[in-house]
Amino acid sequence: MFRHVQREPGVSVEQRFPAGPAVEVDALLAEITAEPEGGYLSVGDERVVQFLVKFARKLLAPATARRYPELASLGFFLRKGEIAKALSTLETSGDQLRFPRGVVFHVPPANVDTIFVYSWALSALAGNPNVVRISPRSQGAAQAVIEALNESLAEAHPAIAQTQRMITYGRDEAVTSALSAACDLRVIWGGDRSVAEVRKSALAPHARDLTFPDRASFAAVSVAGWEAATPEQRRDAAIGFYNDSYWFDQAACSSPRTLFWVGDDERAKPAREEFRTLLAEVVASKQFVVEPAMAVQKRVSAYGVAAEGHATEIRFEGNAVATLELVEAADVPREWLGVGTFPQATISDLAEFGRIVQRKDQTLSVFGFDRDEVMTFTRRLAGRGIDRVVPFGSALSFAAVWDGYDLLSEFSRITTVTV
Amino acid sequence: MTTTAESVFGLSQAEREAALLPVLTELTEHHRTGGEPYDRILSSLGIPRGASFDSVEQLPWLPVRMFKHHVLKSVPDDEVFKVLTSSGTTGAEVSRIYLDKEAAADQPRYLGKTLRTVLGDQRLPMLMVDTIGIIKNRRSFSARGAGVLGMANFGRKHVYALDENDRPDVEAIKGFLANHGNEPFLIFGFTFMVWQYLYEVAREHELDLSNGILIHSGGWKKLIDRAVDNAEFRRAFAADTGLTRIHNYYGMVEQLGTVFVEGPSGNSLYCPDFADVVIRDPETWREQPVGVPGVIEVVSTVPRSYPGHVLLTEDLGVVHGIDDGDWPGKRFSVLGRLPRAEARGCSDTFSGSPA
């Protein structure tokens, strides 16, 4: 491939996967949309499946998985059996034929290392040519992902390198605009501000956005369920809650922030104390370190909630665990307060939580409820908010249905033949 | 070093704490009465109204950033005379400090008392290491402009060392020295500007600054790239320009009127008698022993119109000694800023762009 004479500065991008020289956006788009050897990619294309399985194996290699546990989760997500299960939901019959959606442009967040891989992998599985913007600031796990992808390319079908691209460019509107104008679907992760920013670039009339804006998530413990749980179950609940909350500094959209105790107020008190003690023990045993700046941030946030009259009691267990007693459940703060900062309230039943749910609310992590209770609650919400209810410890587990979207279905299209 | 009769660097640490504790305790109560948000914070921390404290260290502190997100004031709305704002390092967040008439008058008075200890009682000819543009353009009046304007009061016959395009005005500096260089004169500027625009120019043109008294502030961050710290700053000025009377100072808009001033021998900041510092362990939040770095808390009896009397800064510092330096009390250094807390969240695809 020729390095072009620079036509207009700023419209070329750095290629991270496949690793290669800088390329102009127009040339890149022409390459990924050309028919590859062996034909256009199809939904569940064997060439893609093989590549993803190889890639997953590299992520699960002990050295990588030890260093970046989040990549092991990704590796599990992309195992052959999991892929087959996901694809089985796409089967069509009769008059319907499912095809890839088209060129998909992914704009992932700068500060979550791996979420872009999930959305790219599902889109690739659906057979789309993909362009993923990798932040120039990406490092650590994201870098490991790119290395694993490039290593997996050696034995892969050439169609992969031709149609799947991960690129880096600075804050260059010309590139975002060119890719936005050319894509059939644009996937924007990263919060309200990012969505608004990217949306300044117009899409083609037929194209649309799949957006993942700011969300808020919560946890709920059944007081009766806690009382009925064994000491081991209670300890596991604290460990699960720790993983859900502390892994991404409690800033992941699905990390619980406010913790609701559901049941009798008096009976909740000893349960809350015990949970607090268990959580502090787990945090200590994991040797979780809160940097001084973060410790200050937590106080700024917690004092702020109190200053506004929404919290009556702030308690710190070292720098790692802070709890705030909310004046009313409806006062729940939805913004990030710093890692290990948990507003709490006791409410009489899940329906009381249901009344404060907003569209913005995403995950409810629960402990001690039976499935029927959760189902009844969720049905009564009627889809007004809360996209997933998960057990403690699963808040961060990514799934092919996310924020209410069935992603594989979003990444594909259906053609009907009724002749 | 001679200090004037009304020096505010006179109290030993024990005398200081004995004098400050009752005033600060009363101020804590005063601010709780005057502002509900502050009272709510202390109540939520389990500190009852009328609480007494055994030491300055035990007084509850507010993180300085609270003033960027909340209205914290201890005077009714109709008594607010002036609202000071300052941009933080991020530029996006602004502290809002509410002053009534009395506080607005107190603040320069305390600053004056403190600085006269090093500047003397006479108003001397003054070389400002800045551009006159910084105070001319009222529309974009900045913290830098406020600093320049506040300091200008301490001198007379001001000459600005930079032209309106922020370039060193060598002729103006030479003219100032020709007129006033043979008698004591003042120099004021922000640390990095003093280095970049005065030191480098003075060295190149072999200017004699030996009769000058330099007062400067603003931190060392911009000079770290040039491997210039306080000791090198003092050494280079003395060796290349003859300037030896140099006083760095440390202060912030959230505690205006209170500045911590470098003593004559250099490399240590001292607290005026109405103020103190507590260096805190960021893990336990207890006071660190002498010699162990921690987060700087600044304490002052000046703020009466807003609860800024006990503030946890976002600076790191260390106490070098107590009652063993040029002046009594704690002597300390500022070591740098706490890094900003940044979360790995789902937010901010374009993190780094202004909010």
Side-chain angles (χ1 to χ4, degrees):
Chain A
M1 194 178 61
F2 284 108
R3 209 77 93 83
H4 297 262
V5 178
Q6 278 210 337
R7 197 179 45 178
E8 202 186 323
V11 292
S12 81
V13 294
E14 190 188 329
Q15 296 200 82
R16 307 286 294 277
F17 170 81
V23 62
E24 280 196 16
V25 174
D26 291 351
L28 175 104
L29 287 166
E31 286 164 25
I32 64 170
T33 49
E35 181 164 4
E37 185 191 325
Y40 288 111
L41 295 181
S42 59
V43 174
D45 198 288
E46 201 42 46
R47 293 167 288 185
V48 175
V49 173
Q50 278 183 15
F51 177 72
L52 289 178
V53 167
K54 268 190 203 109
F55 169 57
R57 224 171 275 147
K58 294 211 187 292
L59 298 179
L60 289 168
T64 310
R66 242 196 325 272
R67 182 127 187 249
Y68 303 109
E70 62 262 51
L71 294 190
S73 318
L74 178 60
F76 279 113
F77 183 79
L78 294 175
R79 277 173 313 170
K80 202 168 184 126
E82 296 297 312
I83 289 177
K85 209 159 72 186
L87 286 173
S88 70
T89 65
L90 292 182
E91 280 159 20
T92 52
S93 57
D95 295 346
Q96 296 193 338
L97 300 171
R98 193 180 286 274
F99 294 109
R101 175 148 303 266
V103 172
V104 181
F105 174 34
H106 305 255
V107 191
N111 52 353
V112 171
D113 294 336
T114 49
I115 203 144
F116 73 90
V117 197
Y118 289 95
S119 89
W120 161 76
L122 288 170
S123 178
L125 208 50
N128 297 299
N130 287 293
V131 180
V132 184
R133 177 196 192 265
I134 306 286
S135 162
R137 297 195 304 145
S138 72
Q139 49 191 349
Q143 195 52 43
V145 161
I146 297 202
E147 278 163 26
L149 283 169
N150 277 307
E151 285 167 19
S152 311
L153 205 53
E155 312 140 63
H157 191 279
I160 302 300
Q162 187 191 326
T163 58
Q164 308 301 317
R165 305 295 175 93
M166 302 199 181
I167 61 172
T168 291
Y169 59 94
R171 250 178 291 146
D172 187 338
E173 260 174 61
V175 177
T176 303
S177 294
L179 292 170
S180 296
C183 71
D184 298 283
L185 178 70
R186 184 169 61 183
V187 184
I188 313 170
W189 298 83
D192 298 357
R193 201 153 55 91
S194 300
V195 171
E197 187 66 32
V198 176
R199 275 190 173 160
K200 288 180 190 163
S201 298
L203 293 169
H206 75 276
R208 61 190 179 84
D209 279 326
L210 191 55
T211 60
F212 299 92
D214 290 331
R215 308 303 302 270
S217 295
F218 309 90
V221 179
S222 157
V223 174
W226 181 266
E227 288 171 340
T230 64
E232 289 72 31
Q233 287 169 328
R234 293 176 188 180
R235 207 175 45 87
D236 287 348
I239 292 171
F241 187 77
Y242 167 85
N243 289 334
D244 292 343
S245 310
Y246 284 75
W247 205 345
F248 288 102
D249 287 342
Q250 214 183 341
C253 298
S254 41
S255 288
R257 307 225 171 122
T258 295
L259 172 57
F260 292 102
W261 292 82
V262 183
D264 180 76
D265 194 28
E266 279 308 310
R267 282 164 58 192
K269 282 174 186 165
R272 292 169 64 154
E273 278 308 309
E274 185 187 6
F275 182 75
R276 198 174 189 283
T277 307
L278 287 172
L279 181 62
E281 281 171 18
V282 173
V283 173
S285 74
K286 303 276 181 185
Q287 294 176 313
F288 189 87
V289 175
V290 176
E291 298 297 330
M294 181 71 84
V296 173
Q297 166 68 42
K298 290 178 69 168
R299 279 171 172 78
V300 170
S301 308
Y303 290 11
V305 176
E308 283 162 15
H310 299 316
T312 52
E313 185 190 68
I314 304 173
R315 283 168 66 196
F316 289 94
E317 196 75 51
N319 280 337
V321 181
T323 52
L324 284 70
E325 196 62 40
L326 290 178
V327 175
E328 280 184 66
D331 287 339
V332 61
R334 283 184 165 78
E335 70 274 17
W336 178 70
L337 301 174
V339 63
T341 310
F342 306 103
Q344 294 193 85
T346 302
I347 53 178
S348 55
D349 51 24
L350 279 176
E352 193 179 339
F353 172 67
R355 283 193 284 279
I356 64 163
V357 163
Q358 299 177 358
R359 166 62 61 216
K360 184 183 176 152
D361 300 337
Q362 185 209 52
T363 299
L364 178 67
S365 302
V366 295
F367 177 81
F369 295 94
D370 64 40
R371 188 179 160 80
D372 286 348
E373 277 176 284
V374 174
M375 271 297 184
T376 305
F377 157 74
T378 309
R379 287 212 168 88
R380 283 179 56 181
L381 279 179
R384 290 181 298 107
I386 298 291
D387 299 322
R388 52 200 289 264
V389 184
V390 299
F392 272 27
S394 299
L396 300 179
S397 306
F398 191 81
V401 174
W402 197 255
D403 276 13
Y405 296 115
D406 178 345
L407 293 176
L408 278 170
S409 153
E410 296 293 328
F411 289 140
S412 56
R413 62 192 309 125
I414 290 170
T415 300
T416 54
V417 180
T418 50
V419 179
Chain B
M1 175 68 195
T2 53
T3 54
T4 59
E6 35 174 0
S7 164
V8 291
F9 293 92
L11 294 182
S12 71
Q13 192 58 31
E15 291 165 342
R16 177 186 311 265
E17 292 200 26
L20 292 183
L21 185 60
V23 183
L24 292 168
T25 304
E26 184 274 322
L27 267 178
T28 301
E29 207 55 27
H30 161 81
H31 292 309
R32 291 184 82 158
T33 307
E36 206 177 354
Y38 179 70
D39 182 51
R40 285 177 183 146
I41 293 170
L42 265 53
S43 296
S44 74
L45 293 170
I47 302 166
R49 288 298 298 258
S52 63
F53 306 94
D54 295 335
S55 64
V56 170
E57 185 207 342
Q58 283 192 3
L59 290 160
W61 40 265
L62 278 192
V64 73
R65 217 187 316 150
M66 297 300 298
F67 293 94
K68 294 189 158 102
H69 302 303
H70 303 278
V71 174
L72 294 168
K73 62 183 178 63
S74 313
V75 291
D77 287 344
D78 58 0
E79 285 176 27
V80 172
F81 172 67
K82 205 173 184 183
V83 183
L84 299 171
T85 58
S86 92
S87 56
T89 46
T90 59
E93 298 176 321
V94 173
S95 280
R96 300 179 71 81
I97 304 301
Y98 296 81
L99 301 179
D100 60 3
K101 268 205 164 117
E102 201 183 331
D106 277 350
Q107 169 259 311
R109 224 179 47 235
Y110 280 97
L111 182 66
K113 278 202 257 184
T114 308
L115 290 183
R116 272 198 295 277
T117 304
V118 295
L119 306 181
D121 285 332
Q122 273 194 316
R123 295 208 309 172
L124 301 173
M126 194 167 190
L127 180 65
M128 312 294 283
V129 187
D130 214 310
T131 165
I132 190 138
I134 199 76
I135 56 169
K136 257 190 179 169
N137 187 356
R138 293 266 170 171
R139 229 157 30 94
S140 66
F141 205 61
S142 59
R144 196 175 118 199
V148 169
L149 204 61
M151 279 296 165
N153 290 327
F154 295 98
R156 62 190 170 91
K157 296 189 177 170
H158 307 94
V159 168
Y160 286 80
L162 303 186
D163 66 19
E164 302 220 6
N165 298 314
D166 279 351
R167 283 186 306 244
D169 187 343
V170 181
E171 289 316 306
I173 301 170
K174 281 183 173 168
F176 177 87
L177 291 174
N179 289 330
H180 308 293
N182 293 322
E183 50 179 332
F185 62 91
L186 296 184
I187 307 169
F188 168 74
F190 292 94
T191 306
F192 79 97
M193 296 180 72
V194 168
W195 182 260
Q196 198 169 332
Y197 299 124
L198 183 65
Y199 168 73
E200 288 178 359
V201 170
R203 189 186 55 180
E204 189 188 330
H205 294 273
E206 299 183 342
L207 303 179
D208 176 10
L209 304 177
S210 58
N211 280 321
I213 304 169
L214 167 63
I215 178 133
H216 69 104
S217 184
W220 299 95
K221 209 166 104 187
K222 290 184 178 164
L223 292 180
I224 284 169
D225 295 345
R226 299 166 190 236
V228 175
D229 59 8
N230 196 16
E232 170 60 13
F233 186 91
R234 297 179 72 90
R235 188 206 61 75
F237 259 110
D240 297 328
T241 73
L243 179 66
T244 56
R245 290 182 65 183
I246 297 175
H247 298 277
N248 184 18
Y249 72 91
Y250 172 65
M252 60 206 69
V253 71
E254 293 85 354
Q255 212 173 68
L256 217 64
T258 307
V259 291
F260 301 85
V261 182
E262 188 178 18
S265 357
N267 299 317
S268 277
L269 297 162
Y270 293 83
C271 314
D273 292 344
F274 51 85
D276 204 356
V277 290
V278 177
I279 305 295
R280 291 196 182 270
D281 178 342
E283 194 56 45
T284 64
W285 302 101
R286 302 289 304 274
E287 182 163 16
Q288 295 282 37
V290 170
V292 182
V295 184
I296 301 175
E297 171 188 310
V298 290
V299 167
S300 166
T301 59
V302 178
R304 279 202 78 84
S305 60
Y306 62 96
H309 58 311
V310 188
L311 294 180
L312 188 82
T313 70
E314 298 193 6
D315 294 316
L316 294 168
V318 64
V319 169
H320 300 301
I322 301 174
D323 295 335
D324 64 347
D326 297 335
W327 297 322
K330 290 175 185 168
R331 55 188 184 89
F332 70 102
S333 285
V334 180
L335 302 173
R337 286 189 72 76
L338 279 181
R340 227 179 125 67
E342 214 178 326
R344 304 194 298 159
C346 313
S347 293
D348 296 344
T349 301
F350 287 97
S351 176
S353 59

